[in-house]
Amino acid sequence: MDCSVSETLVRLLLRLSEAGEPAVLWGRQAVPHVGRNFDRLLERGILVEQAPAEEWDVCPACDCGLDARPIQTVSDQSVAVCPFDHRNDRILEACDLQSYSIKLVALVRKIATASGFTNGPSEILPGMWHLGQMTDRRELLLAITKAASQQPGLIAKLRLLIPSAQVTMIAPVLSVTELADLVESGIHVVRTEECFGSISDRGFAIDFARLQQSRNVAPRLSVQRAAKIVCLDGHPKILPDQAFQLLLVLAEHALESSGILENRAIEARLWGSNIHKISSQVREPVRTLRDALATGSTDPKAVRALIENRHKPNGYRLVLAPEEIELAP
Ligand SMILES: [Zn+2]
């Protein structure tokens, strides 16, 4: 279970809400956050304490045949009892028995108020909330669930509902295709976790400075897929076909994750999964790509380092943040 204190309560609640209701915060997850702010969420009905657990998961690989094992009190301790073998009994702490249901509507209202929106937020589509207009006159949307940003016909529906062309949407992590559709239609998408303050900030207010920052970052890399045009830091680059494909694969991956893309995944994209290649052969197109990007650059060394190689697992990644990458059709 995730007990990390590096995540703020608002980020934790938003992450747990991504799948929609019922969204549950387990007592053990709540432990690092309990205190006055936490109590206030209970008072305001954003969190509702549920009845203490009376059942617990059966032990792994148990033959007891139960769906759940009963929790019993044994000498002042709560114990998830295995009816089959008492060596498998598990002593539970108080927080294990506690859970809170997260009320999504109340959570959205809290975020809107804390962020200074005075007119209440409105749910314009299932899970898609219009929080209001920001000081730069852009309309701000919050997709509280993943499903909200994945609903069919979303872009057309939004155009009807919000005639303003200037829309920013806060949304959970989306796939490259989902993101590309929104970005191509001119919607500025910011990942939920990027919009709220760090651990020192216990508030529920959207960090507008960060939101603005992600907008102001000019893309360093711009790729026009069909025309096979690549621009890095404003300079057009000429890439051989395979190097272009490699860049595309790495750029698409970088939009989704800052992690490494393994050689086998790269090979499968470049040569198809049926071709047997020794892994060192990715090196060839990597070298070509680095050379092509570095040509005519004022800092060739830094540009070459944008294609970073790693070991264990062996692979590569493009060292650019999602907002620095622009992929056009
Ligand atoms: Zn058991």
Side-chain angles (χ1 to χ4, degrees):
M1 215 174 279
D2 186 3
C3 308
S4 161
V5 284
S6 63
E7 191 174 33
T8 62
L9 183 56
V10 63
R11 283 200 213 172
L12 173 63
L13 295 181
L14 284 166
R15 183 164 62 76
L16 295 172
S17 303
E18 276 181 15
E21 280 177 329
V24 175
L25 172 71
W26 296 99
R28 192 165 279 281
Q29 292 173 295
V31 168
H33 301 285
V34 291
R36 244 183 70 199
N37 287 299
F38 192 83
D39 293 341
R40 229 175 261 157
L41 299 184
L42 288 165
E43 284 160 22
R44 293 190 184 177
I46 295 165
L47 292 175
V48 176
E49 185 159 10
Q50 297 179 312
E54 290 171 355
E55 292 178 336
W56 199 254
D57 290 344
V58 291
C59 25
C62 193
D63 291 323
C64 63
L66 297 177
D67 291 330
R69 44 179 161 162
I71 295 175
Q72 292 173 4
T73 308
V74 180
S75 44
D76 283 344
Q77 281 182 316
S78 295
V79 182
V81 177
C82 175
F84 229 61
D85 183 349
H86 280 294
R87 282 173 302 183
N88 290 336
D89 286 356
R90 187 167 154 190
I91 295 167
L92 302 173
E93 290 174 49
C95 70
D96 289 321
L97 305 181
Q98 289 169 325
S99 66
Y100 307 87
S101 74
I102 306 165
K103 300 299 171 191
L104 268 52
V105 173
L107 176 60
V108 173
R109 287 187 195 287
K110 165 85 180 162
I111 289 169
T113 316
S115 306
F117 293 107
T118 43
N119 297 327
S122 59
E123 192 175 19
I124 54 171
L125 291 168
M128 183 67 71
W129 289 82
H130 181 214
L131 299 182
Q133 200 178 60
M134 297 184 281
T135 47
D136 61 0
R137 310 201 77 76
R138 295 183 69 86
E139 304 292 341
L140 184 61
L141 300 179
L142 172 63
I144 188 87
T145 61
K146 219 165 189 172
S149 50
Q150 291 168 330
Q151 46 197 305
L154 174 66
I155 293 164
K157 286 177 190 168
L158 288 180
R159 284 227 178 89
L160 285 173
L161 290 161
I162 303 183
S164 157
Q166 307 289 303
V167 174
T168 293
M169 182 194 295
I170 300 173
V173 178
L174 300 174
S175 78
V176 169
T177 354
E178 290 158 352
L179 194 61
D181 287 348
L182 290 166
V183 171
E184 277 163 25
S185 71
I187 295 172
H188 170 225
V189 185
V190 192
R191 276 184 277 180
T192 310
E193 56 183 40
E194 289 174 27
C195 298
F196 295 89
S198 56
I199 184 66
S200 57
D201 177 16
R202 301 191 149 266
F204 278 66
I206 292 164
D207 187 340
F208 289 104
R210 285 170 137 219
L211 204 113
Q212 201 62 43
Q213 210 174 24
S214 87
R215 241 185 80 67
N216 289 344
V217 175
R220 290 193 58 195
L221 175 73
S222 143
V223 181
Q224 289 175 269
R225 270 180 275 218
K228 297 199 173 171
I229 295 172
V230 172
C231 257
L232 181 66
D233 297 327
H235 299 288
K237 301 287 174 183
I238 298 155
L239 265 54
D241 196 49
Q242 203 166 59
F244 178 82
Q245 294 304 332
L246 173 63
L247 179 64
L248 203 54
V249 169
L250 292 175
E252 284 176 358
H253 182 72
L255 285 176
E256 268 190 338
S257 145
S258 60
I260 212 80
L261 186 61
E262 289 190 42
N263 281 345
R264 356 186 215 116
I266 299 175
E267 285 159 19
R269 287 287 302 273
L270 293 187
W271 297 297
S273 49
N274 296 327
I275 293 178
H276 299 284
K277 290 266 175 187
I278 53 165
S279 64
S280 64
Q281 287 198 262
V282 175
R283 277 189 213 153
E284 205 51 55
V286 165
R287 192 178 304 135
T288 316
L289 176 58
R290 282 180 175 150
D291 289 345
L293 292 179
T295 302
S297 166
T298 48
D299 190 353
K301 204 176 163 192
V303 168
R304 298 181 79 86
L306 287 178
I307 314 294
E308 183 186 63
N309 58 320
R310 290 267 195 88
H311 301 286
K312 290 179 187 174
N314 289 329
Y316 293 87
R317 73 181 191 112
L318 176 64
V319 193
L320 288 177
E323 58 270 21
E324 294 177 310
I325 303 169
E326 184 179 65
L327 288 186

